[in-house]
């Protein structure tokens, strides 16, 4: 006891990084509401997000070589108490979520001023902090029920954030309601599966679950729990055909909210799927159930091809990008279905590359909303010539989404094709290329609208800012010139990142390979050892 107490007293701030990454935004959220000042809420959001980013980076540096960090909450050792467990897989995702949050905030300041009444800004920043904390908690925790708790924290705050788009488009309320219904169904399925696992094993600690499940062997309760958890998480991920909530949510939410969610929310849910498939149920069990070939592969192919094809017929940029996100969920699933190191590495690195790429493109769409109040192709025609700096960044994002060599998107797609050939699935590699060609069509339409088509004064709508009461302020804002500097800086940071991580893959590819090897090794308890 004395030795344990001495060890506890001697801990430094660096030892508490696993909890600090989640706790900073979680504490800042209610403080922002209590203060009740919009500028104070902004400052708290920036401070908490930067703390999470620094903590995530330091955690990744510690585990990128292998092994894991175990952090028991409240001094109760696992599996009795809740444990945060950090390895290369979740440290990489933590870095993505916190980095997107940090880059996105300056952009959000200008975008939210335009699309949401000032009186709601404190609430929006509070919900953002709760959403950020929930997403980071989902990724950091090593306890199954804690995953459910953080899923609900992030989801409930997300519903509110999406609904704030109602000041520009009343359909945002319907989108938020659809998201709520589907998200609740997914959460119910997930918690039923967890309940079955607890009934069978008497534990909710993921590492302990893995050991006890392996000792018991396959049975009907385990198969039912597996099915409930996979379906529940699939609803959160928006895996085809459980995807219908996502296009509406992304299209009608405020632009800044769409930026953050598109780059982080589905990525955290994909991580949960990976963690349960490989660390809790084990790769051998997943293969024995034929889940990769019979379930994941067909859904991945359908998403890649069908969603890319549907995106071709969209006439709204935000909606097209939403369907493109669904197609890229197919890429992520294909990497999982391959069940090899290269395939899983492609999935993990694509989490990062697609996150920064799609955040960049949705930022560009938000800048267009600020300019003309719309992202319909007829309304944004010719704006590439009058907004050259912002549009040039969107071109880089489009090239990365296609997967042009020298961009981040190329790295993960190339890995995916290689892994498909390695597995002997030549048809999968061909379909990746076919889906990419459809992405070329989609992005060419965007470039054509921005640069080649002439403006259509009859359909172009000018955008009015909102007063604190939610009505038009009586003046036209940002109808000429490029996007504001506060928007351009984050946009170009992400544009440069798309090029940088397409050329220098040391951080992303190295982290992804270590994470893939760790996941394919099975149980969290079988990792290289605690650091």
């Amino acid at each position: 006891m004395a030795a344990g107490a001495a060890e506890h007293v001697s801990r430094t701030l660096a030892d508490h990084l696993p909890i600090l990454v989640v706790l900073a935004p979680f504490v800042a959220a209610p403080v922002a509401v209590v203060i009740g000042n919009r500028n104070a809420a902004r400052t708290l959001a920036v401070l908490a997000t930067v703390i999470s980013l620094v903590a995530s980076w330091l955690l990744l540096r510690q585990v990128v070589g292998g092994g894991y960090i175990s952090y028991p909450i409240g001094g109760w050792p696992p599996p009795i108490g809740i444990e945060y467990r950090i390895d290369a897989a979740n440290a990489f995702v933590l870095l993505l979520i916190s980095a997107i949050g940090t880059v996105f905030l300056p952009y959000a300041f200008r975008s939210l001023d335009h699309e949401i009444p000032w009186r709601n800004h404190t609430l929006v920043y509070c919900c953002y902090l709760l959403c950020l904390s929930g997403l980071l908690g989902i990724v950091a925790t090593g306890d199954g029920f804690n995953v459910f708790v953080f899923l609900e924290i992030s989801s409930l705050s997300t519903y509110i954030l999406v609904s704030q788009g109602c000041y520009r488009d009343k359909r945002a309320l319907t989108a938020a309601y659809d998201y709520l219904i589907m998200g609740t169904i997914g959460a119910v399925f997930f918690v039923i599966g967890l309940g079955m696992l607890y009934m069978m094993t008497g534990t909710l600690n993921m590492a302990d679950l893995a050991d006890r499940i392996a000792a018991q062997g396959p049975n009907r309760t385990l198969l039912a729990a597996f099915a409930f958890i996979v379906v529940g998480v699939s609803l959160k991920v928006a895996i085809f055909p459980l995807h219908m909530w996502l296009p509406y949510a992304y299209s009608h939410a405020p632009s800044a909210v769409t930026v953050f969610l598109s780059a982080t929310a589905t990525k955290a849910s994909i991580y949960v799927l990976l963690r349960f498939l490989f660390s809790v149920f084990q790769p051998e069990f997943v293969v024995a159930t034929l889940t990769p070939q019979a379930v994941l592969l067909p859904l991945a192919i359908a998403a890649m091809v069908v969603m890319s094809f549907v995106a071709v017929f969209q006439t709204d940029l935000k909606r097209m990008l939403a369907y493109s996100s669904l197609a890229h969920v197919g890429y992520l699933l294909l990497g999982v279905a391959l069940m090899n190191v290269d395939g899983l590495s492609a999935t993990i690195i694509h989490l990062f590359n697609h996150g920064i790429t799609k955040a960049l493109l949705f930022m560009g769409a938000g800048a267009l909303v600020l300019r003309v109040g719309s992202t319909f192709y007829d309304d944004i025609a010719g704006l590439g010539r009058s907004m050259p700096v912002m549009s040039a960044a969107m071109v880089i994002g489009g090239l990365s989404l296609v997967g042009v060599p020298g961009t981040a998107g190329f790295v993960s797609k190339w890995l995916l094709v290689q892994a498909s050939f390695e597995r002997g699935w030549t048809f999968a590699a061909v379909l990746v290329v076919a889906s990419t060609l459809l992405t070329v069509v989609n992005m060419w339409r965007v470039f054509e609208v921005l640069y080649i088509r002439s403006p259509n004064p009859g359909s172009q709508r000018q955008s009015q800012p909102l007063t604190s009461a939610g009505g038009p302020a009586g003046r036209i804002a940002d109808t000429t010139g490029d996007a504001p500097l506060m928007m351009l800086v984050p946009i170009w940071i992400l544009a440069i990142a798309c090029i940088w991580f397409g050329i220098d893959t040391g951080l992303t590819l190295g982290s992804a390979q270590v994470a893939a090897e760790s996941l394919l090794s099975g149980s969290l308890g079988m990792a290289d050892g605690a650091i």
Side-chain angles (χ1 to χ4, degrees):
M1 179 70 71
E7 180 184 354
H8 178 74
V9 172
S10 64
R11 279 191 168 189
T12 64
L13 182 62
D15 296 319
H16 296 286
L17 290 176
I19 188 66
L20 183 63
V21 70
V22 179
L23 198 60
F26 188 77
V27 171
V31 173
V33 174
V34 170
I35 295 176
N37 180 272
R38 183 174 72 108
N39 292 328
R42 283 182 171 185
T43 304
L44 283 170
V46 172
L47 181 61
T49 307
V50 170
I51 290 173
S52 294
L53 174 61
V54 173
S56 300
W57 171 249
L58 294 174
L59 287 170
L60 181 61
R61 290 185 59 185
Q62 293 182 49
V63 298
V64 72
Y68 64 88
I69 299 171
S70 176
Y71 185 90
I73 303 297
W76 291 90
I80 298 173
I82 294 173
E83 174 193 28
Y84 282 13
R85 185 175 287 228
I86 310 296
D87 60 10
N90 57 359
F92 190 57
V93 182
L94 288 173
L95 180 65
L96 168 66
I97 295 171
S98 55
I100 290 295
T102 303
V103 174
F104 134 94
L105 273 175
Y107 173 94
F109 296 159
R110 188 65 185 86
S111 181
L112 293 179
D113 282 349
H114 182 74
E115 297 188 40
I116 298 176
W118 286 9
R119 60 183 168 81
N120 288 2
H121 282 198
T122 300
L123 171 65
V124 168
Y125 289 121
C126 172
C127 289
Y128 156 72
L129 287 167
L130 287 175
C131 184
L132 175 65
S133 178
L135 293 173
L136 294 172
I138 289 168
V139 176
T141 187
D143 182 88
F145 190 77
N146 220 216
V147 171
F148 168 73
V149 171
F150 280 118
L151 270 173
E152 288 305 283
I153 290 174
S154 63
S155 296
L156 290 172
S157 53
T158 300
Y159 306 147
I160 298 174
L161 290 173
V162 171
S163 71
Q164 294 301 299
C166 69
Y167 295 100
R168 287 289 172 187
D169 189 341
K170 296 300 181 184
R171 289 174 295 179
L173 295 174
T174 304
Y177 180 76
D178 290 344
Y179 192 1
L180 184 152
I181 296 299
M182 297 303 293
T184 301
I185 294 173
V188 169
F189 271 63
F190 182 76
V191 80
I192 288 174
L194 283 179
M196 289 182 171
L197 290 181
Y198 184 74
M199 177 180 67
M200 187 178 68
T201 63
T203 184
L204 289 170
N205 180 274
M206 291 187 189
D208 201 33
L209 269 173
D211 294 337
R212 298 193 186 192
I213 288 172
Q216 290 192 15
N219 56 66
R220 290 187 177 182
T221 304
L222 181 61
L223 289 171
F226 178 74
F228 272 108
I229 288 173
V230 170
V231 172
V233 177
S234 297
L235 276 161
K236 294 287 188 179
V237 176
I239 292 175
F240 178 87
L242 307 174
H243 67 282
M244 288 308 298
W245 61 265
L246 187 144
Y248 296 101
Y250 284 13
S251 300
H252 304 309
S255 300
V257 172
T258 304
V259 169
F260 182 69
L261 294 181
S262 66
T264 59
T266 54
K267 311 304 183 288
S269 298
I270 281 284
Y271 166 79
V272 173
L273 183 64
L274 292 177
R275 185 59 81 192
F276 273 87
L277 287 178
F278 292 97
S279 296
V280 175
F281 290 102
Q282 305 289 297
E284 296 81 7
F285 174 83
V286 174
V287 171
T289 59
L290 300 179
T291 300
Q293 297 87 352
V295 179
L296 297 183
L297 179 60
L299 296 181
I301 291 173
M304 286 191 302
V305 178
V306 175
M307 294 296 100
S308 294
F309 190 70
V310 171
V312 172
F313 297 95
Q314 303 305 311
T315 58
D316 183 342
L317 175 59
K318 287 179 73 173
R319 196 167 177 84
M320 184 278 287
L321 293 174
Y323 278 105
S324 170
S325 293
L326 293 172
H328 281 261
V329 169
Y331 292 129
L332 297 171
L333 282 183
L334 177 59
V336 178
L338 288 166
M339 296 295 290
N340 56 23
V341 172
D342 283 346
L344 203 53
S345 297
T347 292
I348 295 169
I349 197 173
H350 199 58
L351 285 175
F352 186 91
N353 292 341
H354 181 256
I356 61 175
T357 300
K358 196 52 66 74
L360 166 59
L361 290 170
F362 273 116
M363 279 186 179
L368 295 173
V369 170
L370 185 71
R371 175 73 179 272
V372 298
S374 169
T375 53
F376 282 96
Y377 290 159
D378 287 342
D379 296 337
I380 64 175
L383 288 183
R385 298 190 295 273
S386 58
M387 303 177 72
V389 180
M390 186 282 297
S391 299
M394 283 196 72
V395 170
I396 294 174
L399 296 177
S400 181
L401 192 68
V402 170
V404 172
T407 63
F410 171 77
V411 177
S412 42
K413 286 191 176 182
W414 180 253
L415 272 177
L416 202 56
V417 170
Q418 279 187 320
S420 298
F421 281 123
E422 178 187 326
R423 186 76 162 78
W425 291 358
T426 305
F427 68 92
V430 171
L431 289 171
V432 170
V433 175
S435 176
T436 298
L437 292 177
L438 290 172
T439 305
V440 172
V441 174
N442 289 320
M443 293 314 304
W444 170 252
R445 288 189 68 201
V446 175
F447 299 156
E448 178 192 14
V449 167
L450 290 176
Y451 288 101
I452 299 177
R453 284 177 54 178
S454 299
N456 186 354
S459 64
Q460 188 166 338
R461 297 179 295 177
Q462 292 183 325
S463 180
Q464 291 182 316
L466 298 174
T467 65
S468 60
R475 62 184 178 86
I476 301 299
D478 299 298
T479 58
T480 59
D482 218 307
L485 183 62
M486 193 171 287
M487 284 184 158
L488 287 176
V489 171
I491 286 173
W492 270 97
I493 288 175
L494 291 177
I496 293 170
C498 285
I499 298 174
W500 179 272
F501 291 111
I503 298 173
D504 183 0
T505 61
L507 172 66
T508 54
L509 186 56
S511 301
Q513 287 178 336
V514 172
E517 291 169 359
S518 173
L519 287 170
L520 284 171
S521 70
S523 170
L524 284 162
M526 297 167 59
D528 296 336
I531 296 175

